[in-house]
Amino acid sequence: MSNDKVGAELKIGIVGAGQMGGGIAQVAATSGFSVVLADISLDAAQKGLAAIQKRLDSQVSRGKLQADDAAAISQRISAVGELEQLADCQLVIEAASERVDLKLELFRKLDGICHEDAILASNTSSISITTIAAVTRRPQQVIGMHFFNPVPAMKLVEVIGGLATSDDTFSKVIALAEQLGKSPVKCQDKAGFVVNRILLPMLNEACFVLEEGVASAKDIDTAMTLGCAHPMGPLTLADFIGLDTCLAIMEVLHRDLGDDKYRPAPLLRKYVAAGWLGKKSGRGFFSYE
C-alpha cells in the first residue's frame, strides 16, 4: 500500500456480513478491490453476500447498473466462515456488533492471523481506537474507519487514529477512503468522534421530550423535519439506527465524557429492555409491522 494511492491489487477483508459489513464489501468491490467477507459461519457470510446481490440486482432493474458490471462486482467478493481465511488481506475492516468485548477479542485474533504489515481497522461508531489497538502488537497500524448507513449511498467516512496510530497508516487509509468514492474526515479518538458526539445527544433529547409529554412522537418528528429541514425526524432516525445501538453509544458518551448531559433517557432504556429496538424489530417509537 503506497502513501499516495492504494493499488487495486489490494485484498480487503471485512469481518461481519451484516448491513454495515455488507455495504462496505459492496463499495470496495465496486471500486475494483478483491474482498473477503467473513462472519461467524459460512452460512452467515453467504447470507450477507446474498443481500449484496439483491441490492445489485435492484440497481440493474432500475437501470443504475449494467448486468455485466453487477456480475463483476459479485465475483470480486468471496464469503468465508473463518477469520483464518483473512490471513493474506493487507487491510481488514471489522464491522461486528458494537460490543467492546467482541471487538477486543476479534482484534486479538486478527493480530495473530494477519501479516505483520497489515492494517487493522474498526468500523466502530463510539469505542476507543486506543483501547482496541492496545490488545494488538501493532497499535501503530490500528485505525478507525467509521462508515455510515447505507454505506453505498453515504459519502462520509470518519477516520480515527488511536494514541499510537502512525501518520503512514492515516495516509494510507485516507487514500483508500477516497478511492472508495468517500469523503474522509480525520478525527481524534474522543468518545462519539464527530457525528455521534453531536447527533446522538439530539436523538436522546427527543426521547426526553417524548417522555415528558411535550409532544407526540409524530409531532416531534414533524417539528424537526419542517423546522430544521432535517430529512427525517430524530425518533424515526433512532428507529432506523436501532434503539439498542443508540443506547450503547449514549452509555459510552456518558461513561467516557463523565457529563450527565449525556445520560441515556429512561424511556430509551425502557424501550430497549422491552425489545422495541426500532425498524429491525418491527417496533420502536413507531410501528413497522
Side-chain angles (χ1 to χ4, degrees), residues 190-202 249 253 257 261-262:
K190 302 288 186 179
F193 314 134
V194 174
V195 173
N196 283 334
R197 173 77 175 268
I198 297 168
L199 175 65
L200 264 296
M202 183 190 76
I249 295 171
L253 292 175
L257 299 174
K261 73 180 181 180
Y262 298 112

Side-chain angles (χ1 to χ4, degrees), residues 199-211 215-225 230-243 246 265 267-268 271 276-279 283-288:
L199 175 65
L200 264 296
M202 183 190 76
L203 306 188
N204 193 53
E205 191 63 26
C207 297
F208 276 114
V209 171
L210 179 63
E211 187 170 15
S216 68
K218 181 180 178 182
D219 284 349
I220 289 168
D221 276 12
T222 298
M224 294 302 292
T225 54
H230 290 185
M232 68 175 68
L235 298 176
T236 297
L237 179 55
D239 276 353
F240 275 57
I241 293 170
L243 302 191
C246 292
L267 185 62
L268 179 60
Y271 273 46
W276 296 1
L277 306 182
K279 192 172 187 295
R283 181 169 185 176
F285 294 109
F286 300 97
S287 176
Y288 303 92

Side-chain angles (χ1 to χ4, degrees), residues 155-189:
K155 298 289 287 184
L156 179 64
V157 175
E158 290 179 323
V159 181
I160 310 104
L163 187 63
T165 305
S166 69
D167 290 341
D168 182 58
T169 298
F170 252 122
S171 65
K172 288 174 179 175
V173 169
I174 286 174
L176 173 63
E178 290 172 343
Q179 281 189 266
L180 296 179
K182 303 302 182 185
S183 297
V185 169
K186 192 173 180 179
C187 309
Q188 295 298 314
D189 190 20

Side-chain angles (χ1 to χ4, degrees), residues 85-205:
Q85 291 175 274
L86 303 176
D88 61 345
C89 294
Q90 294 94 352
L91 171 71
V92 176
I93 303 171
E94 169 272 317
S97 300
E98 193 72 352
R99 284 174 33 209
V100 176
D101 59 336
L102 175 60
K103 291 186 187 293
L104 296 186
E105 181 60 24
L106 284 171
F107 272 79
R108 286 190 190 98
K109 290 180 178 178
L110 290 169
D111 187 46
I113 290 168
C114 298
H115 190 274
E116 62 182 11
D117 292 333
I119 291 174
L120 305 181
S122 176
N123 183 55
T124 180
S125 57
S126 62
I127 297 168
S128 167
I129 301 301
T130 300
T131 299
I132 292 172
V135 303
T136 74
R137 296 165 294 178
R138 64 182 87 197
Q140 71 280 4
Q141 293 154 235
V142 177
I143 197 165
M145 282 189 84
H146 181 210
F147 293 80
F148 288 77
N149 190 35
V151 178
M154 299 293 279
K155 298 289 287 184
L156 179 64
V157 175
E158 290 179 323
V159 181
I160 310 104
L163 187 63
T165 305
S166 69
D167 290 341
D168 182 58
T169 298
F170 252 122
S171 65
K172 288 174 179 175
V173 169
I174 286 174
L176 173 63
E178 290 172 343
Q179 281 189 266
L180 296 179
K182 303 302 182 185
S183 297
V185 169
K186 192 173 180 179
C187 309
Q188 295 298 314
D189 190 20
K190 302 288 186 179
F193 314 134
V194 174
V195 173
N196 283 334
R197 173 77 175 268
I198 297 168
L199 175 65
L200 264 296
M202 183 190 76
L203 306 188
N204 193 53
E205 191 63 26

